[in-house]
Each structure stands twice: as C-alpha cells, then as structure tokens.
C-alpha cells in the first residue's frame, strides 16, 4: 500500500504542475521538487528489479533527449518522475505507458484547434489549422507565454518580450503543455496499476 500512496502522490504533483502550466506556461520548481520524495521512495523499494532499472533508465534517457531536443525543463523532469513508478509489465517502461495513453488527448486538441481556427481570420493551411492557433494581438499581449510566435527551437530560450506583433491577428504555435499529456497518461497508468 505505501507504494500505491507514493504512486498517487506523484500523480498529485503532476496534476498541480499541469494546472500551473495551463494557467501561466510556467511551473514553479517547488512543485516538481515535491515529486522527488515519492520518486526516491519508489526507487528504493524497486531497485532490486532489473525490469524496474530498465524502465527507470529509459525514463532518464528520454528526459535527457527531450531536453537536448528543446523541450522545457519541466517536461524532462516530469518524464523522469514518471519513470520512478514501477513498470506494470516487463519490458514496457512506465514512461511508454504514460506517453502512449496521454497521446489520446491529441485528437481532441487537434479537433478543437481546427474548429476554432475555421472561425478566425488568419490565413492558414489545413495542416496549420490543426497545429497552430489564430489569436488576436490583444490576446498575445495579455498572455505572451501561452503562445509561441516565430521559429523556436528551444522553448526555454523563447522570450516573448522580443517579439513584435503588428497585425491585429497572428498565427501562433499552441498546444496543451506536454506535462498535461504526461499527467493524463500517468493517471491512466495509475488506473491500470489498481486493476493488477
């Protein structure tokens, strides 16, 4: 039972991080730091299992790759925390379960963006209507961290204060924060672990 409490505590930390990310596109370091004690507990309890070590190793490699490829620090930390939860099946690392299950939100996001963009004045290709969002200059200025304008390779280096918006409506990159996908996928993992 203590293992399940630690697993649920990680879910709670990820949920708070998701809420923070949705509101401001920033996650306070203390939020993710709160996930370290349950993650350490799970690591100590499961360190004897080679399947656990494999799952944890996959999570750490994914976290490093995500950061190197330009994901935010919080996304990388979240995948590492998720990796501390024990795998449900041998050779199926916990982060894979979270990523695959979380990706089920993608069709909902794509559909929402397409419907929204169809009613707005930006000129967009059909593909851009699925991946971008047409926003007013006012909206961008009100919540500049929520949207990304221009070609950005590393979200941690994006500085919206350096972006100049002249048009009334602009095309921006937008999506649910990746932590939200990971959190939804992690809660799916928690539900599956209850069924075991």
């Amino acid at each position: 039972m203590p293992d399940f409490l630690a697993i649920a505590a990680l879910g709670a930390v990820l949920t708070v991080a998701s809420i923070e990310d949705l509101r401001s596109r920033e996650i306070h370091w203390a939020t993710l730091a709160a996930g370290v004690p349950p993650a350490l507990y799970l690591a100590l309890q499961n360190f004897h299992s080679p399947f656990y070590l494999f799952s944890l190793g996959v999570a750490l490699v994914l976290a490093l790759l995500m950061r190197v490829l330009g994901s935010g620090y919080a996304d990388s930390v979240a995948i590492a925390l998720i990796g501390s939860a024990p795998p449900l099946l041998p050779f199926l690392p916990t982060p894979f379960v979270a990523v695959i299950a979380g990706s089920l939100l993608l069709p909902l996001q794509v559909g929402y963006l397409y419907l929204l963009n169809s009613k707005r004045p930006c000129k967009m290709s059909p593909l851009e209507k699925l991946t971008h969002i047409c926003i007013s200059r006012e909206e961008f200025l009100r919540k500049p961290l929520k949207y990304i304008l221009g070609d950005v390779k590393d979200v941690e280096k994006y500085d919206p204060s350096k972006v100049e918006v002249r048009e009334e409506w602009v095309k921006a990159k937008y999506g649910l924060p990746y932590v939200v996908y990971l959190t939804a996928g992690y809660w799916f993992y928690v539900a599956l672990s209850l069924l075991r």
Side-chain angles (χ1 to χ4, degrees), residues 10 50 69 72 92 97 122 137 159 184-185 194:
L10 278 178
L69 294 174
L92 182 60
V97 173
C122 295
R137 181 177 185 273
D159 183 358
L194 283 173

Side-chain angles (χ1 to χ4, degrees), residues 82-160:
I82 287 168
S84 70
L88 298 174
L89 297 169
F91 301 111
L92 182 60
T94 304
F96 286 4
V97 173
V99 169
I100 292 166
S103 67
L104 298 175
L105 287 177
L106 191 57
L108 295 175
Q109 176 190 323
V110 165
Y112 166 76
L113 288 175
Y114 189 83
L115 290 173
L116 183 70
N117 288 325
S118 296
K119 298 173 186 172
R120 295 203 173 166
C122 295
K123 292 203 187 281
M124 302 168 95
S125 71
L127 181 60
E128 287 175 328
K129 285 184 179 182
L130 301 173
T131 59
H132 290 69
I133 189 166
C134 181
I135 57 167
S136 67
R137 181 177 185 273
E138 226 174 77
E139 173 68 10
F140 175 73
L141 294 174
R142 192 170 52 244
K143 297 179 183 175
L145 289 174
K146 191 172 180 178
Y147 307 101
I148 297 175
L149 297 181
D151 189 29
V152 177
K153 302 271 189 262
D154 187 342
V155 294
E156 292 296 327
K157 294 178 182 170
Y158 177 66
D159 183 358

Side-chain angles (χ1 to χ4, degrees), residues 43-103:
L44 291 172
Q45 294 302 309
N46 295 285
F47 210 69
H48 62 279
S49 165
F51 297 122
Y52 178 79
L53 294 176
F54 173 70
S55 181
L56 182 60
V58 165
L60 296 176
V61 168
L62 277 175
L64 181 62
L65 277 174
M66 286 170 61
R67 185 58 211 121
V68 167
L69 294 174
S71 289
Y73 290 108
D75 300 332
S76 299
V77 171
I79 202 81
L81 290 174
I82 287 168
S84 70
L88 298 174
L89 297 169
F91 301 111
L92 182 60
T94 304
F96 286 4
V97 173
V99 169
I100 292 166
S103 67

Side-chain angles (χ1 to χ4, degrees), residues 10 12-35 66 71-79 81-82 145-146 155-156 176-183:
L10 278 178
V13 166
L14 291 168
T15 300
V16 171
S18 293
I19 292 167
E20 287 180 8
D21 213 359
L22 281 168
R23 285 186 179 156
S24 66
R25 292 296 198 204
E26 293 181 310
I27 300 172
H28 195 277
W29 65 267
T31 301
L32 292 173
M66 286 170 61
S71 289
Y73 290 108
D75 300 332
S76 299
V77 171
I79 202 81
L81 290 174
I82 287 168
L145 289 174
K146 191 172 180 178
V155 294
E156 292 296 327
L176 286 174
Y178 195 56
V179 169
V180 173
Y181 286 101
L182 292 174
T183 301

